[in-house]
Amino acid sequence: MTSAFESSTPTLASYGWDADWADAFAPHAEAGLVPARVVRVDRGRCETVAAARADAAAPVTPLRADTGPVLGADPTTAPCTGDWAAVEAAPATGGGPVVRALLPRRTRFTRSTSSARSEGQVLAANIDLAVIAVSLAVELDLGRLERFLSLAWSSGAQPLVVLTKTDLVPDITHLVTDVAEAGPGAEVFPVSAFDGHGLDALAGALAGRTSALLGQSGVGKSTLVNALLGAEEQESGEVRGSDGKGRHTTTARDLLPLPAGGLLIDTPGLRGVGLWEANDGLTQVFAEIEELAARCRFHNCEHHAEPGCAVLAAVEDGTLSHRRFESYRKLLRESAWIASRTDARLRAELGREWRRREAAGREMYERKRGGKHRKAF
């Protein structure tokens, strides 16, 4: 397979440049800076493709730049793969190229870090599609998928689910159905890098857009990337016999041109995915629960033990699965907790709310036992 980037000179347009980016860059052009897209970040420097002028037809060439001037206390504002940057190619003071500014991001896929402090980590910026890879070599973890999808919707990008290693499963029909129900609004693509099943359909969906490939370690992302590129660009590992998982091989986030046009950011496997500003995404992923909640007797129903709760009624009659309801509650609690770690007032309110719920739960328990027991004096 011959890449379009091998047969013609890549330009700003082939890396996603458009009129809106040109407008955002205009003040930087007046300052003598050049436009560049970040294709990889590494220890205070970044690899970019840059053009001499802010013109969609301008050819791009590799340019390595220092990111020091745009690094701050907030890690979510640091340069990330997919960013558009304003670069000083030849500083008057000498030295190499320097990133002077980042253009405002249209979208960003962010997770919370595992540190004791509440910090976000941007995994990819300015993406149109958040492609979530799920391996069929192991049992489906729908709760984890719902977590990824919540972050994807919150990023501003369109989620898309890729079920990898379909060649290992005789019948995937019910698995595709389960995934579609867990991710309403996200298209599902079953594929196999081994026999090529589904690759053409997936390549067509990615063409002309910037996508980020996300997922757990060992789900076959690097193998999938190589299949889409038609070349061994990314190192891939053998499948472990003990659990059917692949070995983690990708160590950095790379922006790669696709043969049919468009760009793909291959990300390292994620062992942990903490929510970050994901409330909008939760609303989208659990749309049927939000719809049920609108029918509850009380507008502020918490679906805990309130009378007239339409959500609890749906769980009881089987309309809503208990697994999905518990996943929803778990992710809501986590999202609230993450938000509280950066807001002292919200943290105090959350603490009071949890204590109130515990008291309500104890009261409900006593009522079911036939009333409170008085102490004997």
Side-chain angles (χ1 to χ4, degrees):
M1 186 181 295
T2 301
S3 168
F5 286 81
E6 295 174 355
S7 59
S8 61
T9 303
T11 63
L12 277 180
S14 63
Y15 273 87
W17 188 263
D18 58 27
D20 290 335
W21 287 123
D23 289 343
F25 187 79
H28 304 297
E30 294 176 0
L33 305 181
V34 300
R37 191 156 198 193
V38 178
V39 300
R40 185 185 178 107
V41 177
D42 183 27
R43 298 181 182 180
R45 293 185 176 276
C46 65
E47 304 290 344
T48 75
V49 287
R53 63 185 189 281
D55 182 339
V60 295
T61 56
L63 185 69
R64 184 172 174 82
D66 179 11
T67 60
V70 292
L71 295 178
D74 184 356
T76 65
T77 63
C80 176
T81 302
D83 269 324
W84 281 101
V87 176
E88 186 176 8
T93 56
V98 178
V99 175
R100 293 299 180 188
L102 298 177
L103 300 192
R105 292 163 174 161
R106 293 178 182 175
T107 62
R108 67 178 193 179
F109 189 98
T110 310
R111 68 165 179 174
S112 69
T113 63
S114 58
S115 64
R117 297 171 296 171
S118 181
E119 292 182 348
Q121 178 190 24
V122 181
L123 301 181
N126 300 317
I127 59 174
D128 303 303
L129 295 174
V131 183
I132 303 165
V134 178
S135 172
L136 296 185
V138 295
E139 184 176 355
L140 275 179
D141 186 341
L142 295 176
R144 180 179 291 273
L145 174 60
E146 288 160 347
R147 176 182 294 271
F148 268 101
L149 287 167
S150 297
L151 287 172
W153 281 114
S154 298
S155 75
Q158 171 68 38
L160 182 155
V161 181
V162 176
L163 301 180
T164 66
K165 308 182 183 182
T166 59
D167 54 285
L168 300 179
V169 183
D171 183 7
I172 63 172
T173 304
H174 67 289
L175 298 175
V176 173
T177 299
D178 289 345
V179 169
E181 290 177 351
E187 198 167 359
V188 182
F189 288 82
V191 304
S192 169
F194 176 74
D195 60 22
H197 171 75
L199 287 178
D200 288 344
L202 177 59
L206 304 184
R209 296 189 274 187
T210 298
S211 307
L213 185 58
L214 306 140
Q216 255 187 305
S217 299
V219 298
K221 295 193 306 301
S222 295
T223 301
L224 178 60
V225 169
N226 289 335
L228 289 169
L229 294 176
E232 292 292 323
E233 294 287 342
Q234 301 295 85
E235 181 183 354
S236 59
E238 296 295 326
V239 173
R240 294 195 301 256
S242 60
D243 56 12
K245 295 182 180 180
R247 300 180 188 278
H248 172 73
T249 51
T250 303
T251 57
R253 292 180 285 279
D254 297 310
L255 183 69
L256 307 166
L258 292 169
L263 305 148
L264 180 64
I265 300 175
D266 184 21
T267 67
L270 302 173
R271 291 181 175 83
V273 188
L275 297 184
W276 184 264
E277 298 177 348
N279 283 344
D280 289 344
L282 290 172
T283 298
Q284 179 70 37
V285 173
F286 298 96
E288 82 278 24
I289 299 181
E290 294 288 326
E291 183 179 344
L292 286 168
R295 305 176 197 168
C296 292
R297 179 184 301 176
F298 304 109
H299 75 277
N300 60 344
C301 182
E302 296 167 349
H303 326 306
H304 186 67
E306 298 87 346
C309 175
V311 175
L312 293 178
V315 174
E316 290 176 4
D317 67 20
T319 305
L320 175 65
S321 75
H322 185 268
R323 183 211 66 78
R324 190 152 166 82
F325 177 54
E326 286 304 314
S327 178
Y328 172 70
R329 292 177 56 170
K330 176 182 178 181
L331 294 178
L332 272 183
R333 288 194 299 268
E334 181 180 332
S335 182
W337 171 241
I338 289 295
S340 74
R341 291 170 68 183
T342 58
D343 187 327
R345 179 188 59 80
L346 182 60
R347 184 164 58 250
E349 290 179 356
L350 188 61
R352 288 193 294 270
E353 177 62 18
W354 284 350
R355 288 192 293 273
R356 187 190 67 76
R357 289 188 183 185
E358 288 175 357
R362 287 194 298 269
E363 182 178 355
M364 181 64 68
Y365 174 71
E366 292 294 346
R367 287 178 180 176
K368 289 182 178 180
R369 294 181 61 192
K372 296 183 179 180
H373 296 282
R374 295 182 177 179
K375 292 183 179 180
F377 292 94

